[in-house]
Amino acid sequence: MLRPYKLALGKTFCTYSHSFFEETLADTLTDILIIGGGIIGLSLAIELKLRGANVTILNRDCQEAGARAAAGMLAPQAEKIPPSPMLDLCLQSRALYPKWISKLEAISELTAGYWPCGILSPIYQEEKIVYNQQSTLKSEWLDQDAIHQFQPGLGAEVIGGWWYPDDGQVDNRALFKTLQVVARKLKIDIYEELAQEIVRRDRQVLEVKTFSRKFQANHYLLATGAWSNDLLPIAVYPKKGQMLSVCLPYPCARERLPLQKVLFGDEIYIVPRQDGRIVIGATSENVGFTSGNTPSGMKALLTRAIRIYPELQHYPIQEFWWGFRPETPDELPILGSSYWDNLTFATGHYRNGILLAPITAMMIADLIEQQKSDPLLTYFHYGRTFM
């Protein structure tokens, strides 16, 4: 058996029983094994490593992860999340972003594309104006004249909208690259291997098997996103999202970009990057792991995007792609302790994985390192959806 242990900054993180490892013959031993090397898994690994843990990541090296089906919006208000523990979690994470990004950029010497540009949520003539339920947060209603002055080029059908100055964005691909570089600089071991089985006995995880080896740890973290149900009977399912990007047909300095704000409309969002790229997304499809872009998906996105910002019809298309978001039945993440004493969940983030990366890393690291459970974690416990 594993001997009792306590994680502590600057101290040895765990003590192993010799007979335990003789019995299971692991190929790779570590303090903490994170199953999943996406943005959530990397964020967790970095946070735990900075606190003194020996961390290993097991990554399926999948190009269809939820981070690709994302535009990097930090949008708890534009998403109109009602007052709830989920809104509290999202707002706390949004508040962590500036310092979190600065830390990552300082270590990596890269830019993660964080831009607190605000989000504008236009509405059309046929829509009913729903007034803001998040009354304690910064927002402003703009009527028809005001919104067209505030953001020139909007479609003629736009009659008004909400302005959320505290929402923003991060370039999800730049962030992913930044996290990878930080992990390498911190000497976090990353194995590009597909986890085949999580071996359990009673209330303990014994090891994780891949095709070529066995991994053992004192503690395990499941951060496999849409693929979580492949390894454990947990209610996380893939929700496909198709996306595309266009680019400005001419070079333009950041301060002169025609779009300076994210546009968040009805089943569409348009996210301008500082390099002139414009990301458009995303569909939401219950098709399992069916891959590929479809003409109908691209047509739907382009039709909605051009309606809200007609100038896009003249911009050259740059790229199409898709990914799979990790959805849960109530669309809330699964965070914290599991049925197994030495396994913790950090999965099911659905549409908010990038937004929730810093708060997930902090809360889960506190739970593992200090056995300190934030009260908010109660609302995201696996027990509400576990099957």
Side-chain angles (χ1 to χ4, degrees), residues 143-298:
D143 64 20
Q144 188 167 18
D145 289 339
I147 197 169
H148 284 272
Q149 290 180 23
F150 190 62
Q151 176 54 66
L154 294 175
E157 295 175 83
V158 172
I159 64 160
W162 287 100
W163 167 237
Y164 303 108
D166 291 339
D167 280 352
Q169 62 160 297
V170 65
D171 185 329
N172 47 301
R173 293 184 183 181
L175 175 61
F176 184 56
K177 182 178 179 181
T178 299
L179 289 166
Q180 288 180 311
V181 170
V182 172
R184 286 198 296 268
K185 288 198 171 188
L186 295 178
K187 302 189 185 308
I188 294 170
D189 291 326
I190 301 178
Y191 291 84
E192 303 288 348
E193 298 185 35
L194 177 64
Q196 295 294 310
E197 181 185 3
I198 298 177
V199 181
R200 294 102 67 192
R201 181 188 299 164
D202 299 325
R203 294 185 66 105
Q204 289 285 318
V205 171
L206 302 183
E207 64 187 16
V208 176
K209 292 182 179 180
T210 70
F211 282 118
S212 60
R213 74 184 85 202
K214 301 173 183 178
F215 291 80
Q216 284 184 346
N218 212 22
H219 201 91
Y220 300 82
L221 261 166
L222 186 72
T224 45
W227 291 265
S228 297
N229 192 250
D230 291 349
L231 292 169
L232 291 173
I234 183 171
V236 181
Y237 312 104
K239 180 65 75 72
K240 182 180 176 181
Q242 298 186 53
M243 303 186 69
L244 72 143
S245 63
V246 299
C247 59
L248 290 175
Y250 48 83
C252 188
R254 169 183 162 178
E255 61 274 8
R256 297 181 65 84
L257 292 172
L259 267 181
Q260 293 280 340
K261 310 157 189 71
V262 174
L263 301 181
F264 193 106
D266 182 27
E267 297 185 89
I268 193 72
Y269 47 78
I270 302 168
V271 183
R273 300 291 196 223
Q274 297 176 69
D275 61 2
R277 220 164 19 109
I278 299 174
V279 176
I280 299 171
T283 64
S284 185
E285 306 168 52
N286 286 312
V287 294
F289 286 108
T290 303
S291 61
N293 289 108
T294 63
S296 62
M298 295 298 96

